[in-house]
Amino acid sequence: MKTLFRFSCWMLGLGLLLSSPTFAQLKGTWQQKGDDGIITSLICSDDYLMMTRYKEKEFIYTEGGTYKITNGTIAYKSEFNSADTSRVGKTLNFKITISGKKLSVENVGEWQQMDDGSTPASALYRITGRMGNDGNISPMQRGPRKTLKMLTGTRFQWAAINPETKQFSGTGGGTYVIKDGKYTETIEFFSRDNSRVGASLSFDYELKDGKDWHHSGLSSAGAKIYEVWSKEQ
């Protein structure tokens, strides 16, 4: 009986430990805003994150890569960094705590949770196909160069990168809404053209087989597009 009691207490303690804020998932959107108007946005899927700093009509920088949380420490391996390519490929470790809707990262700062990523569309995607003028979808070969797009519960960001060569080609992001069969993005930052900030783009979409996002409409440049984005995880 004593052995059973000790085992029950040990299992209860383990359960409380694994469900504690330190072990909580980062999935969703976290944000901080400085007195200078600079917004730092952190968006996370189950094991990938993108962090971007910007303010009204001004993109400052972005970075992203894979992450894993172990015993209250996040190990983050960079896949792209628009400001310092020497960091690409390196792994950095930070102590973190999550309490309610507040994320604290040691020696970095605090973020407020904006959404928890609990929507069917929320995921990390990679572009895998485009429709040509002939009406056929051409699959894209997988390689080191890739364009990723992350959706959380309320926000989106895409990034065109090559982790192998450390090349960063561009990014854009902001908020999105899905309503009445339409997916609408509102741009809050765009590394290639700040004049596009504030624009809203509406697309037809369909999530096929729970993993392939079919996306059609007009690009930010006004060109017709039909793209397929597949979940990376």
Side-chain angles (χ1 to χ4, degrees):
M1 182 65 71
K2 290 183 178 179
T3 301
L4 179 59
F5 177 77
R6 286 197 297 268
F7 178 76
S8 298
C9 290
W10 179 81
M11 288 299 291
L12 176 61
L14 179 62
L16 291 172
L17 175 65
L18 293 177
S19 63
S20 68
T22 302
F23 286 82
Q25 287 295 315
L26 285 179
K27 189 174 181 180
T29 297
W30 306 82
Q31 197 173 90
Q32 58 179 206
K33 188 172 184 178
D35 295 335
D36 54 4
I38 294 177
I39 295 172
T40 303
S41 177
L42 175 67
I43 62 173
C44 307
S45 65
D46 289 325
D47 61 5
Y48 202 94
L49 64 83
M50 298 182 185
M51 186 172 72
T52 305
R53 189 163 289 146
Y54 63 99
K55 62 182 188 179
E56 187 177 4
K57 299 289 184 178
E58 183 183 349
F59 168 79
I60 300 173
Y61 102 105
T62 190
E63 65 174 290
T66 59
Y67 77 89
K68 184 177 181 181
I69 300 175
T70 307
N71 297 332
T73 297
I74 182 171
Y76 159 65
K77 185 177 182 180
S78 173
E79 279 204 329
F80 65 93
N81 189 309
S82 67
D84 186 357
T85 57
S86 69
R87 290 179 175 267
V88 176
K90 294 183 178 179
T91 299
L92 302 174
N93 295 289
F94 301 94
K95 290 287 187 182
I96 69 167
T97 56
I98 301 173
S99 179
K101 293 188 175 183
K102 183 177 289 186
L103 165 68
S104 298
V105 183
E106 186 178 38
N107 299 323
V108 176
E110 292 186 345
W111 279 265
Q112 188 73 24
Q113 188 178 46
M114 310 302 290
D115 73 68
D116 61 6
S118 58
T119 63
S122 181
L124 177 68
Y125 299 85
R126 176 175 177 156
I127 192 165
T128 55
R130 283 195 178 99
M131 183 178 288
N133 294 328
D134 59 0
N136 295 316
I137 297 175
S138 299
M140 302 174 70
Q141 294 285 341
R142 290 184 71 92
R145 185 175 180 177
K146 56 187 176 180
T147 301
L148 301 175
K149 187 170 188 176
M150 191 185 297
L151 299 181
T152 67
T154 59
R155 299 189 66 84
F156 77 94
Q157 182 177 350
W158 62 266
I161 61 174
N162 187 330
E164 194 171 280
T165 62
K166 302 184 179 183
Q167 181 182 9
F168 168 79
S169 299
T171 192
T175 61
Y176 79 88
V177 174
I178 295 176
K179 186 177 181 180
D180 299 329
K182 292 286 186 179
Y183 166 83
T184 302
E185 298 178 343
T186 300
I187 300 172
E188 290 191 353
F189 60 87
F190 191 9
S191 65
R192 297 172 179 169
D193 185 0
N194 285 326
S195 70
R196 298 299 301 164
V197 172
S200 291
L201 305 173
S202 189
F203 301 92
D204 293 320
Y205 80 97
E206 184 178 2
L207 186 60
K208 295 187 176 181
D209 300 322
K211 62 183 181 64
D212 293 326
W213 180 284
H214 288 245
H215 183 87
S216 61
L218 298 178
S219 70
S220 59
K224 288 185 178 180
I225 60 171
Y226 188 111
E227 300 171 336
V228 180
W229 296 78
S230 300
K231 287 185 179 181
E232 282 284 271
Q233 48 189 234

